[in-house]
Amino acid sequence: VIVLDDLHTGFTRTPRVKQALRTFIEENFGSNDLAAVVHTSGRGTAGQEFTNNPRLLLAAIDQFSGRNLRSEAFEIADALGRRSFDTTDQRDSFSRGLPSDPLEFERAQNARTTLTTIRHLAEFMEGIRGRRKTMLLVSEGISYDIYDVFANSSASLVMQQANEAAAAASRGNVAIYAIDPRGLAAFEDAIDAPSVPNNISPSQFSVNSALQDSLRLSQQSLKTLAEETGGFAATNTNDLSGAFARIVRENSTYYVLGYYPGNDRRDGKFRRLEVRVTRPGLQVRARRGYVAPRGRAPNPAPAVIAAGGQPLSAASMSALNSPIPIGEVPLTLFAAAYKGTAPNASVALALEMSVDRFNFEERDGVF
């Protein structure tokens, strides 16, 4: 799944994101690959469901447009300037404390929306079994300070949703690979930085220092999501093609290992995993663990009864519920609707399957 975090990508970097992903699709997307495109802003018509058609993926990528909010540092600097201009005395403006970020509420909403999108996608992909699953997150990261609970009213809630997103990805065996499109030009916005009033010393507030803090927080959010799920974050680099090549390499040759844990308590605690190999000189890349589910286990889904009164097999249910197409048995479905006596109607279904894909067993003289 290619997640385009338009909520946390600057508008000026829109062409860079489009070109990098276009090159990635054209050079690395194989005929047997499946991918989907999701925009975190919720523009459903701009996304693309799972497909192996590169043209459809590129069309969805071309709909991308960064809409990141202006930096907190710039907003606070502007607020300081307005305060200094409006005051009628010569008291130090900083003595009344730094003004709050006027976009704090919207910034928190965007952070929560992105993290919720990541969690829902990870839960959706959990139903895909027996293969490596990758989430390619193109984002400048979340710069909302979750540790400053006084200045940011939603800090604890954003932190909780970040933990839930990483936990859902680890449980669903979804590796998150984060790509920061800023590259090495992370401070290009500083050229247009607003000036700070003269009565505010750099020790009290500095735009460049605030920008550095914002950059650190945003990059750390990308690194945390990636490292907790077995992926990596490509930050502070202009070599996006090298990062994409590494992603392709890690997802082209791999082992899928599974086990039944002895601890089945639903306590929501982190369970550490460690994979070691005996052959020297090898480096193991695997997720560090998973977060156990919390609360009462969900009730099992009711059995689906097929014709003849027998429940569908586990394999059939898995195929029907899979988020991606199952191509082992090619089939074609035709539907024709017929008008009946009002208000009723009837629909005739014709299903064609390739029988040479089935393995028949002889029982009681029939196959």
Side-chain angles (χ1 to χ4, degrees):
V1 175
I2 301 173
V3 180
L4 301 180
D5 189 12
D6 46 358
L7 294 178
H8 295 97
T9 303
F11 175 76
T12 58
R13 280 174 277 272
T14 297
R16 185 183 304 173
V17 171
K18 290 182 178 180
Q19 183 56 49
L21 288 175
R22 173 170 289 275
T23 302
F24 170 67
I25 294 295
E26 291 176 346
E27 294 183 356
N28 298 293
F29 194 75
S31 59
N32 60 335
D33 287 332
L34 285 172
V37 177
V38 176
H39 299 253
T40 57
S41 60
R43 297 163 59 223
T45 56
Q48 172 60 49
E49 296 182 358
F50 276 109
T51 180
N52 63 350
N53 188 331
R55 180 183 59 81
L56 297 178
L57 296 174
L58 292 174
I61 291 170
D62 285 340
Q63 296 294 316
F64 173 78
S65 179
R67 54 185 66 192
N68 196 12
L69 296 174
R70 195 164 177 252
S71 170
E72 306 97 302
F74 295 171
E75 292 293 334
I76 293 176
D78 281 349
L80 283 171
R82 290 190 296 269
R83 175 190 290 182
S84 177
F85 179 79
D86 294 338
T87 185
T88 57
D89 56 34
Q90 299 300 317
R91 291 180 303 166
D92 184 358
S93 180
F94 187 77
S95 65
R96 290 176 286 166
L98 280 177
S100 60
D101 176 13
L103 299 180
E104 186 266 335
F105 177 78
E106 189 174 355
R107 219 177 295 279
Q109 286 294 106
N110 287 350
R112 294 176 58 189
T113 298
T114 292
L115 293 170
T116 300
T117 299
I118 293 174
R119 177 171 64 85
H120 286 167
L121 288 172
E123 292 171 345
F124 174 73
M125 296 173 71
E126 187 175 357
I128 305 173
R129 310 278 183 185
R131 70 179 71 190
R132 187 172 175 85
K133 294 164 286 186
T134 298
M135 184 182 297
L136 182 59
L137 175 62
V138 182
S139 172
E140 295 177 16
I142 296 171
S143 61
Y144 191 84
D145 192 351
I146 59 177
Y147 303 104
D148 191 350
V149 296
F150 298 102
N152 298 322
S153 59
S154 300
S156 58
L157 187 57
V158 173
M159 177 184 291
Q160 176 185 347
Q161 292 183 308
N163 292 333
E164 290 176 351
S170 65
R171 281 197 304 269
N173 197 26
V174 178
I176 297 178
Y177 292 88
I179 303 293
D180 186 348
R182 290 173 294 192
L184 291 174
F187 289 106
E188 59 189 21
D189 293 334
I191 300 175
D192 300 322
S195 60
V196 177
N198 293 330
N199 59 341
I200 304 298
S201 68
S203 63
Q204 294 169 326
F205 180 77
S206 167
V207 173
N208 285 336
S209 177
L211 283 174
Q212 290 178 0
D213 290 341
S214 178
L215 175 65
R216 176 182 55 81
L217 287 171
S218 62
Q219 290 182 341
Q220 186 58 45
S221 69
L222 297 177
K223 292 176 182 178
T224 299
L225 284 172
E227 292 172 358
E228 292 294 329
T229 58
F232 66 83
T235 60
N236 289 326
T237 177
N238 289 332
D239 184 19
L240 296 185
S241 60
F244 286 133
R246 181 180 171 188
I247 293 172
V248 172
R249 187 167 61 250
E250 289 194 5
N251 289 275
S252 297
T253 304
Y254 58 87
Y255 291 94
V256 176
L257 305 178
Y259 80 105
Y260 290 96
N263 185 357
D264 58 358
R265 288 181 297 202
R266 302 177 63 88
D267 51 13
K269 294 183 178 180
F270 181 78
R271 309 280 171 78
R272 185 170 180 270
L273 296 174
E274 184 178 3
V275 181
R276 290 178 289 185
V277 293
T278 58
R279 180 178 170 184
L282 297 182
Q283 180 185 15
V284 176
R285 289 196 54 82
R287 57 194 176 113
R288 299 187 299 180
Y290 67 97
V291 178
R294 184 186 295 274
R296 179 179 297 180
N299 295 325
V304 176
I305 306 302
Q310 295 297 320
L312 286 181
S313 66
S316 299
M317 288 300 301
S318 177
L320 288 174
N321 294 327
S322 175
I324 60 176
I326 304 298
E328 281 74 8
V329 181
L331 57 86
T332 304
L333 179 67
F334 304 92
Y338 296 90
K339 183 178 180 180
T341 303
N344 299 319
S346 61
V347 179
L349 301 178
L351 182 67
E352 294 182 357
M353 292 181 286
S354 181
V355 295
D356 59 348
R357 293 296 186 96
F358 292 97
N359 294 322
F360 291 93
E361 295 180 358
E362 185 177 2
R363 293 181 182 177
D364 299 329
V366 295
F367 288 89

